[in-house]
Amino acid sequence: MAFQISLNFFLAFTWMFLKNSYDPITFFYGFLTGLIIIFVFRRFFSARFYLKPVFAIIHLLLVFIKEVILSNVAILKIVLKPKFDMKPGIFALPIEVTKEWEILVLSSMITLTPGTLVIKVSDDNKILYIHAMDIPDVEESINDIKNSFERLIKEVSR
Amino acid sequence: MIEEIVRVVVVILIIVGAFLNLVSAVGVLRLPDVYTRNHAASKAATLGIVSILLATFLYYYVEVGHFNARLILAMVFLFITSPVAGHLINRAAYNSGVKLWDKSVQDDLKKEMQQNSKPKRMKLSK
């Protein structure tokens, strides 16, 4: 992915030299042209066409912002409730992502989502121990959320 | 017209942010144990501060015409660092043996900690 992006910049600069005009607009046109060229020659690269991971990252960010807002609404409801009837607890969640940055992103996202906080990543990086605000109510839906996050993160790094 | 809309948005963002910070303070006071307090502190405070920063950014951009990129950087840094801080406080609390709330229903980590601690003790005794 980094190789394709730098190649695209290189093509944009080549375009600027061909046009002999050095302003941002020429650079932009050169970048677009380079994008088309890379798209046409996409089967010669070992990685995917690089716009796909870029869109996956944007998708991840949007989902993340949505979940942060939802988590705040959930915390609001719990804190302002006159009586505490939640059942907190710690549960183990086996994860499939293996690279360290993926685990970092996944656990940060889990921490900022409704009702969950990561306590410990197990020593072999295969299990996350998560403190949940409300175990019986949340665990199923939480697992769904985790699956979607994990899927999105894998989509970025595939 | 757009300036009016932005003004309304700024006011709403500041009110929401201050309200979220207030709620997170109330949560830290009210909730029963370290872990649940950490929920309130690490989530509500983050979004509260970020929305106040966003309102400041919009205000200076529209009213003064000053594009302050540091505010955006501050938002990004907050989103990156606050979950890590919450995680570390939680982990330190658990490792130093802070008890869960007595109405907690489940503790998977306990088993793991016990399994891990046994072989270490045997090594020490040898």
Side-chain angles (χ1 to χ4, degrees), chain A residues 104-149:
Chain A
L104 173 70
V105 173
L106 181 64
S107 53
S108 298
M109 292 182 92
I110 289 173
T111 298
L112 285 178
T113 49
T116 48
L117 254 174
V118 177
I119 288 194
K120 187 175 154 70
V121 183
S122 69
D123 299 332
D124 54 358
N125 284 351
K126 286 196 177 124
I127 300 171
L128 289 182
Y129 292 97
I130 298 171
H131 182 271
M133 201 66 156
D134 206 349
I135 287 257
D137 178 47
V138 165
E139 197 168 2
E140 278 306 307
S141 60
I142 288 289
N143 275 325
D144 292 346
I145 293 170
K146 299 297 142 50
N147 286 335
S148 72
F149 280 164

Side-chain angles (χ1 to χ4, degrees), chain A residues 72 79 81 90 92 111 129, chain B residues 30 43-44 87 105-106 108 112:
Chain A
N72 277 280
V79 169
K81 212 186 253 179
I90 298 173
T111 298
Y129 292 97
Chain B
R30 270 196 78 198
K43 285 170 198 164
H87 165 67
V105 287
Q106 199 177 352
D108 290 345
E112 218 241 14

Side-chain angles (χ1 to χ4, degrees), chain B residues 79-90:
Chain B
F79 266 128
I80 295 173
T81 53
S82 80
V84 179
H87 165 67
L88 281 180
I89 291 172
N90 249 355

Side-chain angles (χ1 to χ4, degrees), chain B residues 34-89:
Chain B
V34 175
Y35 308 101
T36 43
R37 281 177 186 175
N38 211 339
H39 274 278
S42 71
K43 285 170 198 164
T46 311
L47 191 65
I49 295 168
V50 166
S51 73
I52 289 176
L53 283 176
L54 189 64
T56 319
F57 172 77
L58 282 180
Y59 177 79
Y60 277 103
Y61 187 54
V62 170
E63 301 281 322
V64 190
H66 172 58
F67 186 90
N68 197 340
R70 277 177 220 165
L71 288 169
I72 296 176
L73 264 189
M75 283 186 257
V76 174
F77 283 151
L78 264 175
F79 266 128
I80 295 173
T81 53
S82 80
V84 179
H87 165 67
L88 281 180
I89 291 172

